[in-house]
């Protein structure tokens, strides 16, 4: 729908226009352009508003490759599920890069889910072992099903093992595993780590859930949940023993999973590699089958913007 030259793209339009495959390509390309300097993110604002336990903020950027300039505003309202809404709520504004005029208003909820799933899928494609067979899922909320669906496109997984802080959510994730034709087991968290070749963490935890010594050599971990100061999904020592990759280094050490290890002096910025460098061929990524690789996904505005313009 167009209002006074401003394109209005609803959540339903996004579902019609975008799919997981297009999101994968768009996210992979923009990570590459971020690493080459063609696309740039601006500093994130992400704060607790002191009401409704909400985390609210803005992510923005400019991608010269697609001439996309925009901002995603919104955040995380943990009480929404009880009202029949998803906890993550966001809206994207796109601007004309030549004039600064508003060009589009786009629902950001579905896009957030598919671009976040695309980011972990891109990391799995770039960093996990080719012979990965078992997918471990930590988390079973709204994003988890999208994550599982995108991950299984990247490797020939034979089984999903999952753990969640709220075990009552696990059957929903089990239904997604059944839809993609994979057996689904729910062992204790240590056993998920012992069995999995690839682990995706996608929770809103503020405490480490995965311990360093539980992780097997050769594992790839996509840490997707930590996108705010204070959040944490894995023990900080794991960042020191893994090869660490991220969407953006400054966000990784300030709002991402690496924030704790960085604050404790266990990891320096120089030891964190932008995933785009692996995509562009400037970094080899995993060099040995026994490497533990960790992708710290903080979520960058540029992930949302190119996804849209390619299709709108
Ligand atoms: P959701 O509210 O639907 O699910 C939250 C998940 O966290 C559930 O599995 C829940 O059981 C679990 N959880 C809740 N409290 C917990 C606790 N104290 N300890 C451990 N686990 C707990 O949320 P969602 O939309 O699925 O998002 C999950 C997380 O991913 C959020 O933290 C969100 O901010 C983050 N996220 C990151 C990106 C990114 O780009 N990296 C994008 C979207 C969402």
């Amino acid at each position: 729908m167009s209002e006074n030259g401003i394109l209005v793209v609803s959540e339903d339009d996004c579902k019609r226009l975008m799919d997981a495959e297009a999101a994968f390509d768009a996210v992979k390309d923009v990570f590459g352009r971020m690493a080459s300097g063609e696309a740039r993110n601006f500093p994130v604002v992400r704060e607790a508003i002191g009401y409704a336990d909400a985390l609210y903020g803005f992510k923005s950027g400019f991608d010269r490759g697609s001439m996309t300039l925009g901002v995603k505003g919104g955040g995380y309202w943990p009480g929404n599920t009880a009202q029949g809404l998803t906890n993550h709520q966001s809206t994207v504004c796109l601007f004309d890069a030549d004039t600064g005029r508003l060009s589009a208003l786009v629902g950001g909820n579905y896009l957030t889910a598919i671009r976040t799933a695309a980011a972990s899928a891109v990391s799995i494609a770039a960093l996990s072992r080719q012979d990965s067979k078992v997918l471990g899922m930590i988390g079973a909320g709204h994003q988890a099903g999208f994550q599982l669906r995108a991950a299984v496109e990247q490797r020939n997984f034979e089984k999903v093992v999952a753990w969640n802080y709220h075990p009552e959510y696990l059957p929903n994730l089990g239904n997604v595993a059944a839809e993609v034709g994979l057996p689904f087991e729910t062992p204790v968290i240590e056993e998920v780590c012992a069995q999995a070749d690839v682990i995706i963490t996608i929770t809103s935890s503020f405490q480490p859930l995965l311990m360093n010594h539980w992780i097997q050599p050769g594992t790839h971990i996509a840490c997707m949940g930590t996108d705010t100061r204070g959040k944490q999904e894995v023990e900080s020592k794991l960042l020191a023993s893994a090869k660490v990759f991220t969407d953006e280094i400054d966000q990784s050490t300030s709002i991402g999973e690496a924030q704790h290890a960085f604050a404790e002096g266990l990891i320096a910025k120089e030891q964190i590699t932008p995933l785009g460098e692996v995509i562009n061929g400037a970094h080899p990524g995993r060099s040995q089958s026994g490497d533990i690789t960790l992708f710290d996904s903080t979520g960058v505005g540029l992930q949302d913007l190119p996804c849209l313009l390619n299709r709108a």
Side-chain angles (χ1 to χ4, degrees), residues 94-112:
L94 294 178
F95 302 96
D96 181 333
D98 290 311
T99 63
R101 286 192 67 222
L102 181 67
S103 56
L105 278 174
V106 187
N109 296 349
Y110 170 71
L111 282 177
T112 295

Side-chain angles (χ1 to χ4, degrees), residues 15-84:
K15 288 179 188 158
R16 203 165 35 76
L17 290 165
M18 282 300 296
D19 57 25
E21 206 181 326
F24 181 95
D25 290 343
V27 168
K28 183 177 171 196
D29 289 351
V30 86
F31 281 172
R33 289 200 291 274
M34 281 163 54
S36 68
E38 207 181 343
R40 207 175 126 218
N41 287 288
F42 304 124
V44 167
V45 174
R46 181 114 170 138
E47 296 293 334
I49 63 172
Y51 179 75
D53 283 335
L55 298 172
Y56 167 71
F58 301 95
K59 289 182 171 175
S60 65
F62 177 46
D63 178 9
R64 239 177 205 285
S66 60
M67 288 302 281
T68 313
L69 176 67
V71 58
K72 180 168 94 164
Y76 188 79
W77 271 255
N80 278 5
T81 306
Q83 302 178 50

